[in-house]
Amino acid sequence: MTSLLTIKDLVVDFKTRAGNARVLNQISLELKSGEILGIVGESGCGKSMTALSVMGLVPSPPGKVSEGSILLEEEDLLQASNARMRQVRGGIISMIFQEPMTSLNPVFRVGDQIAECVLLHEDISKTDAWERAVEMLTKVGIPEPALRAKAYPHELSGGMRQRVMIAMALSCHPRVLIADEPTTALDVTVQAQIFDLLKDLQRETGTAIIMITHDMGAIAELADRVAVMYAGHIIESGLTKDILENPHHPYTRGLIACVPHLETDPTEVRPYLSEIKGVVPSLTELGKGCAFADRCPYKTPVCEERRPDIEPISEGHAVACHNVEYVVAV
Amino acid sequence: MNMAWMVVRRLFHAFVLVLAVLVLNFLLIHLAPGDPADVIAGEMGGATEEMLADIRKTYGLDKPIYVQLGVYLERALQGDLGQSFFYNAPVLDLVAGRAGATILLVVTALLFAIAVGTLLGVLASHKPKGIVSGLVTLVSVVGYSAPIFWTGLMLVILFAWVIPIFPIANMFDITKDTGFFGFILDVLHHLVLPALTLGIVYLAQYARLTRASMLEILGSDYIRTARAKGVAETKVYTHHALRNAILPVVTIAGLQFGSIVSGAVLVETVFSWPGLGTLAFESILARDYPTVLGILFFSSVLVIIANLITDLVYRIVDPRIRTGG
């Protein structure tokens, strides 16, 4: 499969009062057409910023894309004109956000909001755009779509609104869909519905999806490949199966250990949930060493000296850790 | 709840309010010191006890206050607001004759303030720390803090003396006879300075309000959504953000209508604008109760109508209120 979207050595800096915060540090990612790529990590690790960089929506100032490139096939989006970026946004790459309650404009009917997207990207009449909106609402499983299209956002539930967002994002048949924690604000049953919906639509349309989440369960169910981020770095990436069953980086191992399990063996005593000790370091105070060093149980002197590069350890599986062999052996 | 039912309900509220206003105004003015009989007698050239008693009898001032109130309310509901002591004419005719000028002035000033203020606010919100924003803030603070008559006088100096392009007083030029359209143009020409004076004070508030409101809205999630679907930046401002940012502006416009009518008193005095303001000023000096009451009543009705309109506009602009009931 060819590579649809390639992020190469992307660096994004934010000027803050406390100094320069490097929110993305040498990020490299690849998205093949038709696949689902998961990006996991805790809050503030740069997942959303990666997405916004692709959309060309890094808030600037204070943010700035300092280095690197984002290639849509051959075209570098960081060099693209504003007009071209407007075509790309919503037309070729579209995005859904984690806050369905506030992501729709409260004063316009949802049908109009979807139709607006179609009108922006296609040479089509208003009536046809409205029909497309209704059709999209049908596709995302909204009952009585013709009626619901005339509803205002406040008349719909959170799950419905997220479906509307998905309908809007897919209305122009984009090639890439970025879903930034699409289910965080929804309750668990609705989360499952939304994941199923995304999976079905993906199968049907072949749209490649970048799924940003901190929900390991969602990753296990949906993603073909996973990249794990920590403090602005990608610290491990590989096939979902490899990452979940055979994680190499101490942080990834910690993350997976944190997922609570229903015990199969009732005699096994597990009184506490696992956690990763310590907190994420401030991005303005990252030293020259590994960003995870302070919290890492396997820390060695070299970890504070030099930041590890991300190196392949097997086919399609790469890790950024000085002591991979030791970590895995333990 | 549908719109028609809402309007009916609000109209009923408005009617009750009007009654309350009539009663309150009546009581308020009777609390004020001073005896109208003295003034009328003074006008007639002498104040003997006998004459005062006679005047009190003629105007019903010897009756108990609740009887006076009853008579006033009864007549008011029939459209009779009484007879002016001072002008010796029906109050309704006096007020109606002057109301047009005031409404023209106030509505022009308000529309100017809302249009220009909102525009400035939107411009300022584009770069909240930029030069434009700073200028808008400066102009707003100066415009808002300067006394209205001072602003008026400065505009007179600037546009009637340094660059003499606008007339400084009255509503039209009685020496000219230019036909209907000429008359309209002449009135508009005379309207510029008073409306500008009155508008500048309120413009400042709209500019600041819109700027703050826009900044808040521009940071919201649905603006990010609009950008993410490829909406051009200008349209993000004018279509997606302004439509939401305008809500507080609508609220304030309705509330301000009352204060802008009182602001008109000063402006009308500065520019000799023949409206309710000058009438109010003169009749208060003359203790002409019926006229003062008539003006208070009329401006209250204006405010009630303005609030009714605000309610309706709010429902049109914000769908959340429509279903909220």
Side-chain angles (χ1 to χ4, degrees), chain A residues 26-322:
Chain A
Q26 301 278 326
I27 295 289
S28 293
L29 277 175
E30 204 184 357
L31 179 71
K32 301 189 179 86
S33 50
E35 78 169 341
I36 300 183
L37 170 69
I39 301 182
V40 283
E42 57 200 287
S43 305
C45 71
K47 296 170 300 198
S48 297
M49 203 42 66
T50 309
L52 290 179
S53 307
V54 174
M55 299 296 285
L57 290 175
V58 174
S60 162
K64 185 170 161 280
V65 178
S66 312
E67 286 169 43
S69 58
I70 299 173
L71 300 178
L72 176 67
E73 287 178 336
E74 304 294 310
E75 179 188 9
D76 190 351
L77 295 180
L78 294 177
Q79 312 297 326
S81 67
N82 283 338
R84 172 62 185 155
M85 276 315 288
R86 282 203 298 276
Q87 288 177 350
V88 172
R89 286 200 282 268
I92 302 174
I93 307 176
S94 59
M95 186 162 172
I96 53 182
F97 300 95
Q98 55 180 316
E99 282 298 336
M101 302 309 280
T102 52
S103 289
L104 290 164
N105 197 324
V107 299
F108 300 119
R109 298 184 298 178
V110 295
D112 283 325
Q113 299 192 46
I114 301 173
E116 183 189 21
C117 190
V118 182
L119 285 166
L120 280 167
H121 297 287
E122 287 174 33
D123 192 11
I124 188 172
S125 77
K126 277 194 175 166
T127 350
D128 289 348
W130 180 267
E131 264 165 32
R132 171 83 67 81
V134 175
E135 181 195 321
M136 289 311 298
L137 289 177
T138 319
K139 252 188 201 167
V140 296
I142 286 185
E144 299 183 273
L147 197 69
R148 291 285 178 273
K150 290 182 190 147
Y152 288 91
H154 71 274
E155 296 166 328
L156 302 176
S157 68
M160 284 288 185
R161 291 189 213 184
Q162 196 59 290
R163 284 168 193 265
V164 171
M165 284 298 292
I166 294 170
M168 184 156 78
L170 295 178
S171 61
C172 297
H173 313 297
R175 303 182 59 190
V176 180
L177 173 70
I178 304 175
D180 185 1
E181 305 196 33
T183 59
T184 311
L186 305 174
D187 57 53
V188 182
T189 46
V190 182
Q191 286 187 8
Q193 292 169 13
I194 296 289
F195 284 138
D196 287 346
L197 174 68
L198 281 174
K199 210 170 176 176
D200 289 348
L201 290 172
Q202 198 271 343
R203 224 174 276 145
E204 192 182 318
T205 59
T207 305
I209 297 180
I210 299 180
M211 170 73 77
I212 296 173
T213 180
H214 46 237
D215 180 350
M216 278 296 181
I219 290 294
E221 200 176 316
L222 290 174
D224 299 310
R225 287 190 307 123
V226 185
V228 184
M229 289 187 74
Y230 184 81
H233 301 76
I234 290 180
I235 48 113
E236 184 161 5
S237 67
L239 295 174
T240 307
K241 194 167 172 292
D242 291 343
I243 300 280
L244 291 179
E245 290 171 6
N246 191 15
H248 278 52
H249 195 281
Y251 179 67
T252 319
R253 296 168 77 93
L255 266 190
I256 291 168
C258 285
V259 179
H261 299 274
L262 287 175
E263 301 309 335
T264 43
D265 177 6
T267 58
E268 191 186 341
V269 180
R270 262 180 68 172
Y272 301 111
L273 292 171
S274 303
E275 60 169 338
I276 302 175
K277 300 268 185 234
V279 291
V280 184
S282 161
L283 291 173
T284 53
E285 286 157 13
L286 285 184
K288 55 190 170 162
C290 172
F292 190 60
D294 280 347
R295 303 171 76 183
C296 184
Y298 311 99
K299 184 172 75 176
T300 55
V302 67
C303 299
E304 304 218 314
E305 286 300 311
R306 197 167 54 79
R307 190 163 295 159
D309 292 325
I310 186 156
E311 310 267 8
I313 51 161
S314 63
E315 177 67 35
H317 191 167
V319 182
C321 179
H322 292 302

Side-chain angles (χ1 to χ4, degrees), chain B residues 103-177:
Chain B
I103 292 175
L104 178 67
L105 174 63
V106 167
V107 170
T108 313
L110 198 61
L111 288 181
F112 165 79
I114 291 173
V116 179
T118 309
L119 181 71
L120 287 180
V122 172
L123 286 177
S125 71
H126 181 52
K127 280 191 178 143
K129 287 177 183 162
I131 299 171
V132 179
S133 176
L135 275 178
V136 169
T137 305
L138 184 73
V139 169
S140 302
V141 172
V142 172
Y144 183 59
S145 8
I148 203 166
F149 55 87
W150 182 85
T151 312
L153 292 176
M154 290 305 119
L155 286 176
V156 167
I157 292 176
L158 191 60
F159 290 113
W161 190 58
V162 179
I163 321 164
I165 45 173
F166 291 116
I168 61 166
N170 297 324
M171 196 171 162
F172 46 86
D173 193 340
I174 47 167
T175 59
K176 275 189 214 158
D177 182 19

